[in-house]
Amino acid sequence: MFGSIVASPLSSLSPKQAVSLANVYLEGACSINDPDVALVLCHNTEVALSKAKKAARRKEDKAVVEDIAIAYIDLGKQLEERGHGREAQASYKKAEKLGVLQGRNRASKSSRPNAIVKPLKGPSLITEDLRPADVLIHPPKDLHQRQHRDVEVSKHIFAENVRLPNAEFRFPEADERLDSTPQLANCLSILQAAYSVEETLEPTAHKWLQAIEKDSDEQERLRTMATEVVRVFKRDELKDPKAIAEVVVLSPVLPKDAFHDLLREFYSGIDHSGLLNVHHLVGLAQLIQGAHPGFLNADDLIKILDLLSKRLRDTHNQSTTRIHQLTLAVSNVLDAMADTKVTGLNREKLHEPLSDYLGSLTNSADPYLVYQAAYAYQALLCVPDNETKWQATLRRTGKVVQGVSGLVSAVKGIDLNKFIEGLEEIQKGLSGVSKVVEAVKTAYESVSSLAEGGKGFLDCLQEGLSFDHKRDWYSALRGTDTLLRDGNLALFKELVYKAPCRLDLAFQWGVCQRLGEIAGNSMWDADIRRGAIGFLGDIYRDDDIWGQQTSVKQWIVNILMQLSRPSGTGLQLHATAAEAMLQELETNGDFRKQALYRECQENGPISYPSNITPTELASPSLLDRVQNRPDVEGNIRLLKKQRSKARGNAVYIPPQAKSSLQAADDTRFLLLERVKQFLESDQKVFLLLGDSGSGKSTFSRELEIDLWQSYKAKSGRIPLHINLPAIDKPEHDMIPKQLRKNEFTETQIREMKHYRKFILICDGYDESQQTHNLYMSNRLNQPGEWDAHMVISCRTEYLGVDYRDRFQPRDHNHQSDSSLIQEAVFTPFSLDQVQACIQQYVAVHQPLWQLEDYNQALEQIPTLRDLVRNPFLMSLSLEVLPRMVDPGQNLSVTRITRVGLYDHFVEQWLEREKKRIGEKELAPQTRMIFERLNDEGFTHNGIGFLKKLAVAIYKEQGGQPMVEYSQTTDEGSWKDVFFLHEDKQLLREACPLTRNGNQHRFVHRSLLEYGLARAIFDPQDGRKRALSDPIVGRRRGSTSSILSFELLDRTQESIIDVHQGPDVSSPLVWRSFVNDYSLLQFLEERVQQEPLFMEQLRAYVEHSKQDKKWRTAAANAMTILVRAGVQFNSEDLQGVQIPGADLSYGVFDSANLQDADLRKVNFRGAWLRLTDLSRAQMTGVQFGELPFLLQDTEARSCEYSPDGKSFVVALSSGDINIYTTSNWERTQTLIGHSDAVQWITYSPNGKQIASASDDWTIRLWSSETGLLQHVLSGHDDQVVCVGYSPQGDQVASASGDGTVRFWEVTTGDCCQTVPFGDDGAATCVAYSPKDQQFASGHQDSVVRLWNPGSEDCNFILIGHTDIVWAVGFSPQGDQIASASNDTSVRLWDVRTGACNHILTGHSERVLSVAYSPSGDHIATGSKDLTVRLWDVDTGQCLQSLKGHANSVVRAVYSPKGDQLASSSCENIVRLWDVLAATSRSVSSGHNAEVDSVEYSPRGDQFASGSMDYAIRLWNIEKGTCLHTLRGHTSTIFSLVYSPDGDRIASGSGDGTVRLWDVETGTCLFVCGHEGNVECVTYSPQGDKVASAGGDIMIRLWDATTGEYLESLLGHSAEVTGIEYSPNGSQIASASRDGTVRIWDTETAECCRILIGHTGWVRNVVYSPQGNELASAGYDKTIRLWDMETGESRLTLIGHSDRVKAITYSQQGNLLASSSWDKTIRLWDVATGQCRAEMPGLPRVAHDIDWSTASDTNYLMAGVGDGSILVWKVIEQEDVCSVRLHWSATSGIVTVTNALVQDARGLTSLNKQLLRQREAIGDPERL
């Protein structure tokens, strides 16, 4: 009956039969432990019950229906027990529908329907159509009994477990030379397993172990020797078989790092060899076999297996020996993977192709290869692929095989009984019982027929091996290997006899092979080897125990024949015993068996590779080469002693750093910890950047000391400090040159190059004036070169913006690899570090001042706190402050500058040294010279010497700070002046110089620059100054005082008695210092302090107009003046020659630069409004910006070609424009789409363009010809994104129809459609650049990572709270960025799915995201009109790029990463200079538009509020930012000072009003509205604050407590402006409802409504007298209202766009207004006439304010580009003139109305930029 059921399809079964079959499945599910198998059986139960239910209902069989219902209840309980609650409830509901409630008890077996089929024990293996006939065949009883009966184990063979086979090795004495590598391996193995093997050791070994355990140095020597052998092997170019055999002997005893080095070496050898190297394969196999537990990780094994699999599949027409060795290596890797429980092999890429290939080897003519392939196949089956069992079940038509779990741990525990039980359990779960039956049929009764049929040894073997599923023989053989490796021969024998698979052909084959290897291995005892031969004989003879499998008997004869013939194995091995056994077997058995034996003898032995060849070493061996090396440890110990000297009394504070120049200081970390992490990583270069005096050299020295303390002799990395300026040409042989300085011999240097590792601490890259990449030029870590990590320091200012190429390692294709470099930037001292430094200094040096004195100075001296954040300036301050500040001096008026600290330090140093020299015993002649120097002024002479030496170093050595002087070699040179003459020797001894042998240098590089700066201008030379306090210099972009700007007028400068004209010998004349930033800092401070120096610099500029010999000096002078904050508004600079000057961020409003030589001048961020550049020579001029590309319609997308030569723009019209990037000219337009093109991209090779359109299609175009190649149709809605696969053979598209489609590029066919539905529709797609992984962003706010060709996700990345608009992979493929409607960008780890960073800063949805080519930066585009640049490592926003007038929908990097392009919903594509953008210094401090400005009533400061959410308080006199007030989370729309100037109120788009303490910068309290706060104002008495905004009400607050007082209600739309009347009795308000309301502050009632504007009223302001009110309207007018009558007295008309802001002058006679027409106008209040106009603003002035001082007329404006402008208004009779007086620029070049008529040398790009920025005139054509 059973047979008829299982052979029938389910549809043919009766309802009763279907229920019975369901119960069989259910019973199997109940009894099985494997949850996946049980789930499949439950699924089959459900299918059978569903069939039964339908049939029963048709036949109305109620009894069967009840049985079905009971079965559903049982099924539900089983599902519930296994954790599938939802499926269980569904099953219960089905039972309930059939009339049986869930609570009914489970039917007993007797009450259940009689099963037609008996329940199965163990898993039921069911096919997809539920016909299990092919797997439910029981084996014959005879076989089962034969396999599982107790057999008598032979006692005369392998009677006991023995020690491991081992050669006899001598045990070396300490420091004794070793004989061989196996001897070394033997010693290390004993040492490694000392505790576990000590009791079993022979006496000599035990004695040696006891001695060495007390000698840690000898232990380290042996371990180091092993790692050195590996290094010698790695450097051996030949790597012959003997070297391979020698090095793999060490694999079990190597440390993990050395083991992995060796593993990578073998991998590389196989991967890069053209012809497969068999010896490498053998070595790899043996290496893996001998690996220490835990050394092999999953990633390594998968990588090796992938390589071997590919090589295996590529071995067409090669010898079977190579294929066999590959297969053997694959087997070893798979064994190791099974041991380490590796899972998740890629089924499609690796698992299936490898299994298919191994299966194909069954057709091989080599029997040994056939067996090895079967073994490898079984090993592969024990390494699961990346399918779940459920997926595998469905794919493989329902067949499930239970896995081999826990095998390795069971074997290694030597619990043989449990292991055998485990094998039995495995066999029960396998479907191969029937296969065993088939194998046993290959018995002697078929020998004659086999012979007659021509079948021989190979045929028998091929028929007996299975390649279709898991078999337990593999597990059993793995167990035998483990037992043999441990010498457990008795257990090995017992396992062989008792294994359930004992009769399996493959198991017997494997056992015989292992016995043959034991018999042939001379390292085993003779009795054991004879026992192995006897064991082979027993298997041959005893058919009752071992069966009659023909191929096994043939195999045994073959093995014995090889053992009996030395030529067969190449060894003299017990040939006699093997021959005797053959003779015995010749007559064994009946005639069929004897016939089989004769056939084997006639055919001769089939040779096979054996693993019994002993290690044969080369001469000299690898170990010999290690031991013959010269000793270097003595010299290293000496170097360590010399370099590890304590720093004495030096104060040292561990520095902190940040990860990049752009990162915020609050992201700081301890630098030493980060460097140590780097040294443990795979990175190679650590770049230390810092300003002058930041502590780079000090840290380098401390790092060296720290590393020497942890240095391990012979094995550790050697820290080598290299002072780069002291090395001649360090770009070549830098390490040998330094080692020679440390007195290492050439032989030792060669030794260290090949066998030692280094940590190079390279200090002073900038001081050595390097431009080379020292890592690459010294070929570090290249084959055969120095093995080294590099820590290298450099001044920040020395480097250009594109500096990483100077340090970044490159691969063999010379491509930079950013993953190998790490960067850290020294951060200024924190206040805690400053305090720690002071405490250390006071405790160590006991100076004149105590701790409280220094703290008082820090608190009270302006600018001191900023200065001492620089470590070197901190040290100077600690030393000079006690003598620099007079006792009782008012510290609050004391002014200290950087150059002033150096002045005092040098003078104090010289005074101290004069005293020291005077106190020591001097020769008479020397004493006479010393006295003469004293008479002349020792300090004065010392400063003179310092200045002259500094000048000579720059003039003769180009600024290289190290001076080497030898009287022999340098006689007659410039150095004699400083080093030979005795008077100069005294001065040299007194100056702040250090000496190391014949090398001399300043104690700090900055002192050299100070000396040169003092040589350029010395305040003490040749002049008299008026006695007055030093003038504190203005910072860049500021003035000395806005209240007293007259200081800028040279007529008001201090009286100068002696005029110093241009000096032709000045260093400014003969060298350009434009890029020497530290020197320039000294000089710009001199300009700010010394009017005479400013005059000298101006003289250079003036003289350059007539004589070009002054042009270098003039360029230097202009650079210094601009950096010092000198502004050149309206100045006559006609004809100046300043080529190469750095005028970045300079202000030249209305200046005359006609005919000027401006070649290569840097105008980045300069203010050139109304500047006359006619006929100026402007070749190579830099503006730091690029022009935009004007389009006919909206630019929806853009992209650079992969080679960067072309650029494509997609338009809303459906057209596509292509540009050439050399001149940004349009070359062609692609026409074809009928609707907007939403996305455009190039193929990876750049030959094709793909476009996605709202017309529902994707089009593929030839980028070369512009011809249309394919139209990809199939989507049912707009296509929003398209992307190419890395190979370029496929494109993916996302559509509004809810699908992602994949298309073949060559044919245009759709190869896959993945539906997501409307709610989860994909909005964007991206391929990983490194593999086939694919990412998509969705409307349901998630990002999905998956593989094309599969709909299963690897990860669903959850974190966004709204639509994901863009996704992009990093260039390395390890990270993905996603941009969302929730205004954030998230960075995800591709491997783990974890979110690494959340980038916040955009105020609107983020629509675009793109990685830079190096992967260290990200660009994002947003609806907030900005492009932001972010640091990937820190998540910090580096820059906000503004210029778009609509949403930025795409931002893309150029292939070189130096440019960025962004397209928006306007007709413009903007091009950005990324290098300029990331390095730009914004003088205003704000990185977004300035929306509000306000002067303090005290006149000492002003405030600015910005869209960057920050409020900045500025010191007017010094132009410095006093406080940055942070707390608001949106734009600061309004600011107002309290009448006493102590507080400031701010209103923001975040709906809050905040009150701040001006002195401390702290927020006192917060109150708010339900919408934007557009305006705030203080009452004249200062007791109240009024605020208004989007919630249409005016709220009044107590200014002291923040308590809400009352609201003024009346407006019907947003209130945009409010102001108290001067007497405080009224409040005026402006609103979008078009009215102005006047409110009585006593009654809170509206007392008047002023109507007259025809649109929104933007602002209101009272005149100073309070009798008049001005209102600004969006109707382009300003109205002046008489407050007594309420009538509109005047309407001021002149603006061409909406009026934004208005303000009265202090006298009330002028009214200023700003407008969206980008002008500011000054109106005569009495007449209504426009008195003056300031046109050509870069953006609208959002706010304007008049200075509060009554004696000056200064008007300030906060502009939309982030700048702050101040004009001086001059009224002379009927003329009112306006001159730009001062500006804090936005960092954007401004050329509005600049005249460039006939300007020469401008590039086409610069011309285009100037036109777009509204410059006028026609430049001369190139």
Side-chain angles (χ1 to χ4, degrees), residues 856-1139:
Q856 184 180 8
L858 279 175
E859 289 294 328
Q860 297 185 19
I861 298 178
T863 73
L864 182 59
R865 182 175 293 187
D866 287 337
L867 286 172
V868 298
R869 296 187 70 196
N870 179 286
F872 187 69
L873 293 182
M874 176 83 238
S875 65
L876 295 188
S877 301
L878 290 171
E879 186 167 343
V880 305
L881 276 175
R883 293 179 174 84
M884 190 175 181
V885 178
D886 296 330
Q889 181 176 337
N890 184 355
L891 297 181
S892 63
V893 298
T894 301
R895 302 174 181 181
I896 295 177
T897 62
R898 177 173 179 260
V899 72
L901 284 175
Y902 278 82
D903 287 340
H904 283 271
F905 173 76
V906 169
E907 291 171 11
Q908 191 168 307
W909 179 292
L910 289 169
E911 288 292 332
R912 184 176 61 242
E913 291 302 302
K914 180 184 76 171
K915 181 179 179 182
R916 181 186 62 81
I917 294 172
E919 291 174 350
K920 73 177 186 177
E921 187 174 342
L922 300 174
Q925 181 66 23
T926 306
R927 173 65 65 180
M928 186 186 311
I929 295 173
F930 176 71
E931 295 297 338
R932 178 172 57 80
L933 291 172
N934 274 338
D935 292 341
E936 296 172 356
F938 190 89
T939 300
H940 174 76
N941 279 310
I943 293 173
F945 178 87
L946 181 145
K947 289 164 32 178
K948 292 175 182 176
L949 178 60
V951 170
I953 289 175
Y954 271 89
K955 194 167 190 176
E956 303 295 340
Q957 297 191 164
Q960 213 279 0
M962 186 70 67
V963 181
E964 292 192 36
Y965 177 74
S966 169
Q967 188 170 348
T968 303
T969 59
D970 292 311
E971 185 177 0
S973 71
W974 65 272
K975 301 175 187 177
D976 277 349
V977 177
F978 303 97
F979 296 94
L980 186 60
H981 301 146
E982 194 166 356
D983 58 339
K984 296 301 190 293
Q985 290 178 0
L986 281 175
L987 293 175
R988 188 184 71 245
E989 183 181 345
C991 277
L993 299 169
T994 63
R995 178 178 178 178
N996 183 13
N998 67 340
Q999 294 182 333
H1000 306 261
R1001 62 177 299 168
F1002 285 90
V1003 295
H1004 194 268
R1005 165 81 188 196
S1006 61
L1007 285 166
L1008 167 63
E1009 293 154 341
Y1010 166 80
L1012 183 66
R1014 193 152 181 175
I1016 291 172
F1017 180 83
D1018 190 332
Q1020 305 300 324
D1021 286 350
R1023 66 179 185 83
K1024 291 183 280 184
R1025 290 195 303 173
L1027 296 176
S1028 62
D1029 288 337
I1031 300 170
V1032 173
R1034 293 157 304 188
R1035 290 198 172 188
R1036 203 168 167 192
S1038 67
T1039 63
S1040 59
S1041 172
I1042 291 192
L1043 296 178
S1044 55
F1045 275 132
E1046 288 78 5
L1047 285 177
L1048 286 180
D1049 298 332
R1050 295 188 293 280
T1051 58
Q1052 301 295 320
E1053 291 170 353
S1054 303
I1055 299 172
I1056 307 299
D1057 291 340
V1058 180
H1059 176 73
Q1060 291 185 352
D1063 179 7
V1064 73
S1065 65
S1066 169
L1068 294 178
V1069 177
W1070 46 260
R1071 179 184 168 99
S1072 173
F1073 297 104
V1074 167
N1075 296 316
D1076 202 328
Y1077 301 111
S1078 183
L1079 172 67
L1080 293 174
Q1081 193 173 357
F1082 285 117
L1083 296 174
E1084 69 184 73
E1085 284 191 0
R1086 290 291 191 208
V1087 169
Q1088 293 164 349
Q1089 295 176 2
E1090 305 292 342
L1092 177 60
F1093 186 38
M1094 183 189 295
E1095 277 300 299
Q1096 290 178 354
L1097 295 177
R1098 286 183 174 275
Y1100 285 123
V1101 176
E1102 192 66 28
H1103 277 67
S1104 75
K1105 297 178 180 179
Q1106 307 298 327
D1107 192 340
K1108 67 179 181 181
K1109 75 178 181 182
W1110 300 104
R1111 62 187 180 193
T1112 299
N1116 284 325
M1118 284 296 289
T1119 299
I1120 296 165
L1121 291 168
V1122 168
R1123 286 179 60 91
V1126 177
Q1127 301 190 354
F1128 293 87
N1129 300 317
S1130 303
E1131 291 208 18
D1132 183 8
L1133 299 172
Q1134 182 176 5
V1136 296
Q1137 300 187 62
I1138 52 172

Side-chain angles (χ1 to χ4, degrees), residues 94-124:
K94 290 178 181 178
E96 191 174 345
K97 287 182 179 180
L98 294 174
V100 178
L101 299 178
Q102 177 184 343
R104 180 169 174 175
N105 292 332
R106 177 186 175 94
S108 64
K109 288 188 178 181
S110 60
S111 66
R112 296 180 68 173
N114 293 327
I116 301 175
V117 193
K118 291 183 179 181
L120 297 176
K121 293 183 179 179
S124 161

Side-chain angles (χ1 to χ4, degrees), residues 1242-1245 1248 1260 1283-1291 1303-1306 1327 1332:
Y1242 277 92
S1243 63
N1245 61 12
Q1248 195 176 66
L1260 305 183
Y1284 278 93
S1285 65
Q1287 297 77 24
D1289 57 345
Q1290 210 178 62
V1291 292
W1303 313 80
E1304 296 293 341
V1305 168
T1306 53
Y1327 279 93
Q1332 285 297 318

Side-chain angles (χ1 to χ4, degrees), residues 239-280:
K239 292 184 176 60
D240 60 21
K242 293 180 180 179
I244 291 172
E246 179 181 355
V247 77
V248 295
V249 168
L250 293 171
S251 62
V253 297
L254 288 173
K256 192 170 186 178
D257 288 346
F259 176 83
H260 279 281
D261 281 347
L262 191 55
L263 191 65
R264 283 190 288 268
E265 192 68 23
F266 278 113
Y267 178 91
S268 179
I270 296 170
D271 187 25
H272 295 110
S273 61
L275 207 57
L276 188 62
N277 190 319
V278 172
H279 305 298
H280 274 79

